[in-house]
């Protein structure tokens, strides 16, 4: 009986029960045709996902990490050049930079959106860098290295403020790769173009992950690159398949990074439902907002007028995050931390030489964020129980000190 009261953070099985027949038929088709790698299921998914993202090309790959790495390599970034990103992201963003042969460097985030702060990017470019008179390239003065690109991360399902980022990138010749791994279907209203644009359609290329827990999730590992740049798409296609465009004729060294046909078939089935699922996530977020907006000391997600977020995660902030999390755990409510330690303070990046205090917003945010249960089918009564438990706990705590 106790277990029925548990409120999970995420529940992935329900949609699979509803879609079981269709998903099984994908598997059967693959079995019967022995089409496991490439083929029509991959082609169809690529066409449909490109359409969904409103771009001209989609290239299916093995994971979001591969997608990021292939974008950087295809963009020609290498040789210890710097690629910028934010400290408060999943490590894959920075791993892709290092593994493409570049050096990660960080720009702090906007404390309200948790995404790359374009003002901080401008500051970085204008105070830490200079344009080399001969090559015209942007060079970081302290590190003596070319700054070649930037990866804005659309964290929690909300797009970064792309207009000013793209403007700076254009002025300083930076390639922009969107990390859209949490933002399938998120939208951004470009003031410059005066229209709504989809995540994955704004940079030179974008990386998507279809890890099972993402808004669009495979039944295993999967990812994709989207782009409007034909050359970029062609290079990523080669990189995912050992650098070959024609079997056994290799233009370059590549990787084994293809998208499975079975995963592509599964993704096609689920893609049909993604707009509805994203809508359900937005409704859940709205209800959370209603329940939590006037709870003391509690900061709810900020959605600027130019953003339509798809709430991969619903993240609040509290000074009492750790006590609150413990309390919810005792009430059988599972929560998450995205992410508890910013990348510049991780052991893996000690070699970059950063210290506490270098990215104050990212650090403060990391100590206060709490991800609440969120998935399209989350029952409203569970959501309301979570909201109530939080407001009661915070009320009791704040009443106790005054
Ligand atoms: C999930 C994720 C990735 C990596 O995707 P994988 O498919 O797990 O390799 C990269 N960046 C962000 C922001 C992610 O959330």
């Amino acid at each position: 009986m106790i277990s029925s009261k548990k409120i999970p953070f995420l529940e992935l099985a329900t949609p699979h029960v509803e879609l079981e027949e269709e998903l099984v038929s994908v598997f059967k088709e693959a079995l019967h045709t022995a089409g496991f790698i490439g083929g029509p299921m991959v082609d169809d998914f690529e066409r449909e996902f490109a359409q969904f993202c409103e771009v001209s090309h989609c290239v299916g790959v093995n994971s979001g990490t591969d997608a990021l790495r292939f974008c950087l390599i295809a963009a020609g970034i290498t040789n210890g050049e710097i690629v910028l990103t934010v400290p408060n992201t999943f490590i894959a963003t920075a791993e892709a930079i290092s593994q493409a042969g570049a050096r990660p460097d960080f720009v702090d985030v906007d404390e309200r959106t948790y995404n790359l702060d374009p003002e901080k990017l401008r500051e970085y470019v204008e105070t830490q860098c200079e344009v080399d008179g001969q090559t015209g390239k942007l060079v970081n003065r302290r590190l003596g290295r070319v700054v070649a690109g930037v990866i804005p991360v659309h964290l929690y399902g909300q797009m970064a403020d792309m207009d000013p980022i793209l403007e700076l990138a254009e002025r300083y010749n930076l390639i922009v790769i969107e990390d859209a791994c949490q933002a399938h279907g998120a939208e951004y209203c470009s003031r410059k173009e005066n229209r709504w644009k989809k995540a994955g359609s704004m940079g030179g290329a974008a990386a998507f992950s279809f890890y099972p827990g993402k808004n669009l999730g495979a039944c295993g590992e999967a990812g994709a690159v989207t782009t409007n740049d034909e050359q970029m798409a062609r290079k990523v296609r080669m990189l995912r398949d050992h650098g070959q465009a024609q079997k056994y004729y290799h233009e370059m060294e590549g990787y084994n990074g293809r998208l499975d046909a079975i995963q592509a078939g599964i993704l096609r089935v689920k893609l049909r439902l993604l707009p509805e699922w994203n809508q359900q996530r937005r409704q859940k977020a709205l209800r959370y907002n209603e329940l939590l907006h006037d709870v003391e000391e509690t900061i709810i997600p900020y959605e600027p007028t130019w953003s339509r977020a798809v709430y991969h995660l619903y993240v609040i902030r509290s000074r009492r995050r750790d006590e609150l999390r413990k309390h919810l755990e005792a009430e059988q409510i599972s929560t998450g931390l995205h992410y508890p330690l910013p990348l510049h303070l991780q052991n893996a990046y000690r070699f970059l030489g950063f210290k506490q205090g270098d990215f104050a917003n990212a650090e403060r945010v990391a100590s206060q964020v709490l991800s609440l249960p969120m998935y399209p089918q989350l029952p409203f009564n569970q959501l309301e129980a979570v909201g109530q438990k939080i407001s009661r706990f915070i009320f009791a705590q704040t009443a106790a000190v005054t």
Side-chain angles (χ1 to χ4, degrees):
M1 254 359 256
I2 297 265
S3 73
S4 72
K5 287 205 301 201
K6 269 196 180 141
I7 300 183
F9 178 64
L10 187 61
E11 207 281 291
L12 293 175
T14 307
H16 295 155
V17 174
E18 284 166 27
L19 296 169
E20 186 166 313
E21 240 174 85
E22 273 187 280
L23 297 175
V24 168
S25 79
V26 166
F27 186 55
K28 279 188 179 159
E29 190 182 324
L31 281 183
H32 295 159
T33 59
F36 300 114
I37 308 288
M41 287 208 275
V42 172
D43 297 343
D44 289 346
F45 172 69
E46 289 180 342
R47 199 180 49 253
E48 288 163 10
F49 194 66
Q51 221 162 46
F52 176 82
C53 295
E54 296 167 6
V55 293
S56 39
H57 308 277
C58 166
V59 184
V61 296
N62 191 48
S63 67
T65 311
D66 269 358
L68 284 165
R69 195 158 48 128
F70 296 166
C71 285
L72 292 168
I73 298 171
I77 287 167
T78 183
N79 292 332
E81 291 176 334
I82 292 168
V83 174
L84 302 168
T85 191
V86 289
N88 62 332
T89 177
F90 182 52
I91 191 172
T93 320
E95 281 175 330
I97 295 171
S98 306
Q99 291 167 9
R103 179 188 167 110
D105 201 1
F106 301 109
V107 172
D108 209 354
V109 292
D110 179 318
E111 216 191 333
R112 292 176 309 166
T113 62
Y114 313 131
N115 280 329
L116 191 143
D117 184 345
E119 248 335 279
K120 293 261 159 56
L121 177 62
R122 192 183 56 76
E123 224 174 86
Y124 178 97
V125 164
E126 290 179 358
T127 65
Q128 299 192 44
C129 304
E130 64 198 12
V131 177
D132 182 303
Q134 278 181 339
T135 62
K137 288 184 173 173
L138 189 69
V139 177
N140 178 299
R141 242 183 267 116
R142 182 174 58 88
L143 298 168
R145 293 168 188 254
V146 170
V147 183
V150 55
I151 307 183
V153 180
H154 305 322
L155 201 68
Y156 308 152
Q158 171 154 279
M159 286 179 72
D161 190 1
M162 292 301 288
D163 276 348
I165 294 171
L166 289 170
E167 198 181 305
L168 279 165
E170 193 174 313
R171 192 175 332 148
Y172 293 102
N173 258 317
L174 307 177
I175 169 98
V176 179
I177 308 294
E178 294 170 73
D179 184 336
C181 288
Q182 300 188 0
H184 321 66
E187 288 177 283
Y188 175 83
C189 188
S190 167
R191 284 84 87 202
K192 199 174 150 209
E193 295 184 40
N194 194 26
R195 67 185 180 101
W196 288 89
K197 303 197 76 172
K198 283 275 185 75
S201 72
M202 296 198 73
F208 285 90
S209 165
F210 306 120
Y211 187 76
K214 303 291 164 100
N215 287 32
L216 177 61
C219 297
E221 302 280 359
V225 170
T226 57
T227 180
N228 284 311
D229 177 343
E230 170 140 32
Q231 283 308 311
M232 171 69 79
R234 199 181 63 86
K235 281 188 194 153
V236 173
R237 259 177 224 291
M238 288 201 289
L239 282 168
R240 75 171 171 184
D241 195 20
H242 301 288
Q244 61 188 4
Q246 191 190 344
K247 204 166 177 67
Y248 303 134
Y249 291 87
H250 306 270
E251 296 292 320
M252 55 178 140
E253 277 193 353
Y255 299 83
N256 176 352
R258 296 167 301 239
L259 171 62
D260 265 21
I262 291 172
Q263 297 306 338
I266 283 166
L267 288 167
R268 280 189 74 201
V269 172
K270 291 182 157 191
L271 178 58
R272 258 194 2 246
L273 291 154
L274 181 59
E276 183 187 325
W277 287 339
N278 279 345
Q279 193 52 36
Q280 288 171 334
R281 285 176 186 271
R282 286 184 58 80
Q283 283 164 359
K284 308 276 138 96
L286 217 65
R287 186 73 187 112
Y288 267 133
N289 286 348
E290 284 170 2
L291 295 167
L292 298 172
H293 78 274
D294 56 8
V295 175
E296 263 185 87
E297 302 183 343
T298 306
I299 300 171
I300 60 171
Y302 169 64
E303 202 176 321
T305 52
W306 44 258
S307 164
R308 265 190 224 132
V310 291
Y311 294 93
H312 172 58
L313 295 167
Y314 183 88
V315 178
I316 61 166
R317 270 172 69 194
S318 171
R319 282 198 294 119
R320 297 172 205 271
R321 191 267 310 274
D322 294 333
E323 302 104 283
L324 176 59
R325 185 169 200 221
K326 215 183 260 165
H327 173 74
L328 293 175
E329 193 66 55
E331 298 280 352
Q332 308 211 54
I333 297 168
S334 299
T335 57
L337 301 183
H338 302 88
Y339 296 88
L341 186 64
L343 295 184
H344 68 284
L345 301 177
Q346 296 278 356
N347 284 339
Y349 292 113
R350 209 178 276 164
F351 73 95
L352 294 174
F354 291 111
K355 60 184 188 313
Q356 191 91 34
D358 282 342
F359 301 98
N361 288 349
E363 289 167 24
R364 188 169 334 106
V365 162
S367 69
Q368 298 182 344
V369 285
L370 183 66
S371 309
L372 305 184
M374 169 58 85
Y375 54 95
Q377 299 79 17
L378 173 65
F380 274 106
N381 64 343
Q382 289 190 11
L383 185 160
E384 278 151 11
V386 174
Q388 196 179 62
K389 291 281 184 330
I390 292 172
S391 60
R392 282 189 188 160
F393 177 77
I394 298 292
F395 181 77
Q397 297 293 306
T398 49
V401 285
T402 49

